[in-house]
Amino acid sequence: MAKSTKNVKSFWGTIVLVIILSVVIQFLINGGTLNPFYVNTLYSIGINIILAASLHLIIGITGQFSIGHAGFLAVGAYASAIVTMKLALPFPVAIIAAGLAAAVAGLIIGIPTLRLRGDYLAIATLGFGEIVRIAFLNIDYVGGASGMTVSHLITWPILITCVLITIIVIVNFTNSTHGRACLAIRENEIAADAMGINTTFYKVMAFAIGAFFAGVAGALHAHNFYIIQPVNFGFLKSFDILIFVVLGGLGSMSGSVIAAILLTIISTFLSSYPEVRMVIYSLVLIVMMLFRPQGLMGTKEITAFFKAGRSAKGGMQNDKHTVA
């Protein structure tokens, strides 16, 4: 119980620090200290954190290998664009609508396909992503191949609120009874099924929640880049999101967030060198997989390192006392 209380305090302490940092960033934006390039980089980091966290729930926690996350991103982006540009409704309403639309899409694809496992599930989700892209490519109502013009409505308070809600919901879900069931499915689906866990139900639940937050990220993405086109949501985008989770460490929310931040910064600052950007980006990934295949954080959270440091320090003090 004491350990659980410490974990809760560490988590909420981290959230408070993030809120304080966010307020500082907002003052810097209002004061013009951060130019538009850095502000746009911050927006990209926030959007990618939401995407990484949502896929972390599906792959890292439930163990379902999905590579069609860009499809949910596209559904959220186009749903929010329709709500704001066609129906003239407020942006917060568009964000909620985008999440719900993506969650419904997650249920539609999840119920028939999540009985599959491993490579078969990966192929099915990849097919879903491509179906969504091709569908939007041929719908004239949303601009077809030319894309759809969208107003720039994203702000830092809205973005950081969505990021915090995403992380809080997914972390609390993971630590709940439902989250433990998902972890059991990840470790051994057959054993979980034998213990009476409804594996299909929990996989679909995790898939729908992950899709919801991917849709929220889609709404933020659409209203940050002024225009959305089907070509932006291809299978390579799904692989980009997958890399965040794998590089950060499967099962680690902190790792997914850190990887999303690092890779977004690397990708952004190498955009001036298109000839070598992808080469350097790929080399970073290869070196990482060679020397630390479990990812940056493995299955640990960042708070575990602070606890380990305090425990080691306390142990040394106790040793000294014993010798004396």
Side-chain angles (χ1 to χ4, degrees), residues 120-291:
Y120 300 103
L121 176 61
I123 293 170
T125 54
L126 177 62
F128 162 75
E130 285 301 291
I131 289 171
V132 170
R133 185 181 66 85
I134 296 300
F136 285 125
L137 192 66
N138 291 278
I139 298 176
D140 293 333
Y141 182 72
V142 293
S146 301
M148 186 175 180
T149 303
V150 185
S151 300
H152 187 275
L153 300 177
I154 189 173
T155 62
W156 177 250
I158 290 176
L159 175 66
I160 200 63
T161 300
C162 291
V163 170
L164 290 176
I165 290 174
T166 301
I167 292 175
I168 290 170
V169 169
I170 292 177
V171 168
N172 280 279
F173 176 84
T174 303
N175 293 329
S176 69
T177 304
H178 303 298
R180 298 302 177 192
C182 292
L183 288 169
I185 294 170
R186 181 191 71 183
E187 295 303 321
N188 193 315
E189 187 172 339
I190 296 175
D193 190 50
M195 292 299 292
I197 296 174
N198 188 338
T199 55
T200 301
F201 170 78
Y202 281 109
K203 287 193 291 184
V204 172
M205 177 189 290
F207 210 73
I209 294 173
F212 175 88
F213 287 111
V216 170
L220 298 171
H221 172 88
H223 292 83
N224 183 39
F225 293 104
Y226 296 97
I227 186 170
I228 50 174
Q229 296 175 299
V231 69
N232 297 328
F233 306 103
F235 70 92
L236 289 178
K237 183 64 177 178
S238 293
F239 280 110
D240 285 342
I241 304 168
L242 177 63
I243 288 170
F244 296 150
V245 179
V246 175
L247 186 63
L250 292 175
S252 173
M253 170 67 84
S254 303
S256 298
V257 171
I258 292 171
I261 294 172
L262 291 178
L263 291 181
T264 303
I265 292 173
I266 291 172
S267 180
T268 300
F269 282 90
L270 289 178
S271 59
S272 301
Y273 309 96
E275 299 84 2
V276 298
R277 182 172 67 93
M278 291 309 297
V279 174
I280 296 175
Y281 188 79
S282 302
L283 285 175
V284 170
L285 298 178
I286 291 172
V287 170
M288 187 67 197
M289 290 299 102
L290 286 175
F291 292 98

Side-chain angles (χ1 to χ4, degrees), residues 32 286 300 306 321:
I286 291 172
K300 297 180 180 180
F306 299 112
H321 179 71

